[in-house]
Amino acid sequence: MYAAAVRTRYGARPCLLASAMAERSPMTTDEFEVRQRLVRVAQGHEDADLLIRDARVVNVLTREVYAADVAVAGGRIAAVGGGYRAARTLDARGAFLAPGFVDAHIHIESTMLTPARFAQVVRPHGTTGVVAEPHELVNVLGLDGLHWMLQAGRGSGVRVFASLPSCVPASAFERGGAALTPEDVRAGLAVPGVLGLAEMMNYPGVLGLDEGVWGILREAGGRRDGHAAGLGGRELQAYAAAGIHSDHEAVTPQEALERLRAGLWLMVREGSAARNLEALLPVLRGDHTGGRVPRRAMLVSDDVGVDELLALGHLDRLMRTCVAGGMHPADALALVTCNPAEYWGLHDMGVVAPGHHADLVLLEDLRDFRVLESLVGGEPLGTQAVTPRLAGGRVDLGAGWDTVSLAVPVHWPVIGVRPDQIVTDRLPAPDAAAQDGGGQGMDGPLTRLVVADRYGRGEVAACWAHGIGLTRGAVALSVLHDAHHVIVAGADEASIRAAGRALEAMGGGVVVHDGQRITAQLPLPFAGLMTDDAPLSAARDAEGITAAMHALGSGLPYPITTLSFLGLSVIPSLKLTPAGLLDVDAWTLVDREAAPA
């Protein structure tokens, strides 16, 4: 009955995996031999390696569910049917067998875990593949960071692909540890495992025909991810016309529809600091299109913390939200299986069908998506891979940190921090009494925000922020998208300086400082961005940071993630960089001198 109902509603509308962009290349010797073996196994001439028996296969191409066995050989599916034999048997006992879940856009560094530790967290939730966007590492270490991410991803327990960062630095208003030229982009796109160009955040450069931005676009002949925060109308049309293929910055149904109508793939983001799924769910359900679900849509997490992954899950959690909101399970599954596979040209993933990688998930149901088993290449998650050493990426605040002025220009507007979004508001400058009182005023306390160059160049800028809520002490992070300078939020200058030095001595991470002591810390020895500690240990440290900040007056639910976006120069409206306060909407630094009356 279930399968018939699905067929009636969806017919055989396919989720095609063909991609005109993919380059054709000969089979390797290993693949050639595996393919020939698959032919023999599928015809019953040879036993499979693994037989998954008595499964209810979820076919995301035809939106059907039907009983079948699945034969696996050489890490790939040989056949879906009955009557096969194998060396090993996995009895599904009637559970649902679906393709493994694929996150089409995630920054592994934002989980604060190395790829091997990340895999330990997400595999039990059904994630078998990710397209990582390592622009955090690349901003710190250049192309060495890209190579390390792919190397660390091999054998981690999930398939780790990468998109090549397009904006290093994110804009002309940022200077990190590296800068990618068009020549670097050409070299990076040729690296095995790199699927295309990552999010083109510098949309002013795209629209203004900036020579450097277009030099990068010219080198990217395949997939080009987008990042069009706040764009609409003619600007969005122009952005799509530049050859951009997707966007994950829609925050309203109107923005989502406009992107779909412009031919862009809609990546619906649900991360720790930017939660857009609930607002965009009506579009995914087809409420605005007569019940017809959008053809080009995916669910992505973008930036999500380890504590949230452990507590709530990964892509399984997003599908639960979709189904609870009235979306059909088959449509929800397509958003994390065949759709991302098609978008990225991963022809052998995202479907339970012959010839595809045996990246599979056994599910107890299609409502809560409780995972019973997850397989990559037909194998369960093994022991943790050895994480390769990562050189470089130290934190250096310079000798002047202890004496540099942390004064805020009296006329500067205030950054309005939103607890569940990465966009900020532009609030009016506080009156003199509020500034003289150490930041008390407006609707709640003001917090002094300081961003300092971490690469030893000595640049420092300070402003006021509203919405952080600190009434004493300070918190310092070496995670600040995308250049990853040091950001310190504090109630007084002494605490700010002490927290910065403590972070530097630790080698990067997150430090909460109260009075004369450190009350919580999260060391991130891998470029000041990641740890190879056990995920539970990292999550406890992250929760300790949150608790320590709450004790200092902050009410931010995920303070690490929220604070880490207050320097990203391509997200409206105000952001702080070492060079000063940036008005993203006007695309200019706010003048340090007040305009004459």
Side-chain angles (χ1 to χ4, degrees):
M1 182 181 295
Y2 182 92
V6 174
R7 281 195 300 270
T8 300
R9 180 176 178 186
Y10 296 98
R13 181 167 56 88
C15 185
L16 300 174
L17 288 176
S19 172
M21 291 171 21
E23 294 182 359
R24 295 183 178 275
S25 57
M27 291 185 189
T28 64
T29 300
D30 287 345
E31 183 184 357
F32 182 80
E33 293 175 352
V34 168
R35 293 287 183 184
Q36 289 200 332
R37 185 181 174 212
L38 293 176
V39 170
R40 294 193 297 270
V41 172
Q43 296 181 87
H45 301 326
E46 186 175 322
D47 288 356
D49 299 327
L50 171 68
L51 183 64
I52 304 173
R53 298 183 56 187
D54 190 25
R56 284 187 283 178
V57 173
V58 182
N59 191 317
V60 293
L61 300 180
T62 62
R63 306 313 205 253
E64 293 177 278
V65 176
Y66 43 79
D69 297 344
V70 175
V72 176
R76 293 178 180 266
I77 298 170
V80 179
Y84 291 99
R85 300 181 304 177
R88 294 183 293 126
T89 299
L90 173 60
D91 192 346
R93 301 177 184 271
F96 295 94
L97 185 67
F101 311 150
V102 178
D103 195 329
H105 179 70
I106 186 171
H107 304 282
I108 292 178
E109 305 98 308
S110 291
T111 69
M112 298 179 292
L113 301 173
T114 59
R117 294 299 192 180
F118 168 75
Q120 285 184 307
V121 177
V122 299
R123 269 288 295 272
H125 293 283
T127 301
T128 58
V130 299
V131 180
E133 211 280 71
H135 71 207
E136 324 305 344
L137 261 182
V138 174
N139 267 275
V140 176
L141 298 172
L143 287 181
D144 287 347
L146 169 72
H147 288 286
W148 183 90
M149 181 61 73
L150 289 168
Q151 180 188 2
R154 289 191 286 271
S156 65
V158 298
R159 295 190 194 276
V160 176
F161 302 95
S163 55
L164 181 72
S166 62
C167 301
V168 180
S171 75
F173 299 104
E174 295 187 45
R175 281 200 304 164
L180 294 193
T181 65
E183 291 72 25
D184 294 326
V185 168
R186 184 188 310 130
L189 288 170
V191 174
V194 175
L195 304 181
L197 192 69
E199 49 190 324
M200 175 48 74
M201 298 181 291
N202 192 348
Y203 59 80
V206 175
L207 302 181
L209 303 180
D210 177 86
E211 182 178 349
V213 170
W214 278 86
I216 288 171
L217 289 176
R218 185 173 186 172
E219 295 297 335
R223 272 289 183 228
R224 303 183 192 97
D225 255 358
H227 186 287
L231 285 190
R234 290 185 173 183
E235 289 184 330
L236 183 67
Q237 295 291 308
Y239 189 70
I244 306 299
H245 299 121
S246 69
D247 181 61
H248 59 268
E249 293 294 330
V251 298
T252 67
Q254 293 71 30
E255 287 184 338
L257 278 171
E258 190 175 10
R259 280 147 178 75
L260 289 167
R261 289 167 178 166
L264 297 173
W265 284 74
L266 177 67
M267 293 182 175
V268 176
R269 172 181 55 195
E270 185 74 4
S272 295
R275 303 181 183 279
N276 308 129
L277 177 54
E278 183 177 352
L280 303 187
L281 187 52
V283 176
L284 294 179
R285 280 196 311 252
D287 291 3
H288 300 81
T289 50
R292 293 180 294 276
V293 299
R295 175 66 182 78
R296 293 182 166 189
M298 294 168 274
L299 298 175
V300 302
S301 51
D302 199 4
D303 297 276
V304 60
V306 56
D307 47 350
E308 184 166 348
L309 286 173
L310 285 169
L312 302 176
H314 188 208
L315 297 172
D316 57 330
R317 169 176 64 96
L318 308 192
M319 287 190 292
R320 281 195 293 275
T321 299
C322 289
V323 172
M327 196 170 184
H328 196 279
D331 287 328
L333 274 166
L335 296 174
V336 299
T337 56
C338 59
N339 287 13
E342 177 186 355
Y343 176 76
W344 282 115
L346 298 170
H347 310 298
D348 297 343
M349 293 175 61
V351 180
V352 182
H356 289 70
H357 289 299
D359 299 351
L360 304 166
V361 180
L362 274 175
L363 301 168
E364 187 175 272
D365 58 58
L366 296 181
R367 182 189 67 249
D368 296 326
F369 298 98
R370 180 170 175 267
V371 176
L372 303 174
E373 181 66 272
S374 66
L375 307 172
V376 172
E379 298 294 334
L381 181 63
T383 58
Q384 183 203 349
V386 177
T387 297
R389 181 175 175 270
L390 180 61
R394 70 190 184 99
V395 174
D396 180 7
L397 292 177
W401 171 252
D402 300 311
T403 57
V404 67
S405 173
L406 302 181
V408 179
V410 295
H411 65 286
W412 271 12
V414 173
I415 294 180
V417 177
R418 301 187 192 182
D420 60 349
Q421 299 294 338
I422 61 176
V423 296
T424 63
D425 299 311
R426 181 191 179 104
L427 304 178
D431 58 34
Q435 299 198 42
D436 292 342
Q440 294 298 318
M442 303 183 68
D443 182 19
L446 298 181
T447 300
R448 191 185 303 265
L449 203 64
V450 177
V451 171
D453 185 292
R454 73 174 275 186
Y455 304 100
R457 294 181 288 239
E459 286 188 323
V460 178
C463 72
W464 293 112
H466 178 263
I468 298 174
L470 291 179
T471 56
R472 71 176 195 274
V475 58
L477 302 82
S478 60
V479 181
L480 183 64
H481 303 285
D482 281 334
H484 296 292
H485 294 296
V486 168
I487 182 169
V488 192
D492 62 89
E493 292 192 17
S495 296
I496 288 171
R497 296 186 198 277
R501 282 299 185 208
L503 179 72
E504 183 183 52
M506 191 172 70
V510 188
V511 170
V512 178
H513 200 278
D514 183 14
Q516 300 300 313
R517 65 190 184 96
I518 294 173
T519 58
Q521 61 183 352
L522 170 56
L524 300 174
F526 286 77
L529 301 171
M530 295 171 290
T531 178
D532 202 37
D533 287 349
L536 280 173
S537 175
R540 281 194 295 266
D541 286 346
E543 290 166 358
I545 297 292
T546 301
M549 285 193 63
H550 288 175
L552 299 180
S554 176
L556 293 175
Y558 293 97
I560 295 174
T561 307
T562 299
L563 292 172
S564 73
F565 278 100
L566 296 184
L568 182 50
S569 64
V570 292
I571 298 290
S573 286
L574 292 177
K575 294 297 165 75
L576 186 64
T577 77
L581 183 62
L582 177 65
D583 184 334
V584 181
D585 299 320
W587 203 236
T588 185
L589 290 170
V590 179
D591 199 327
R592 289 186 177 271
E593 301 296 330

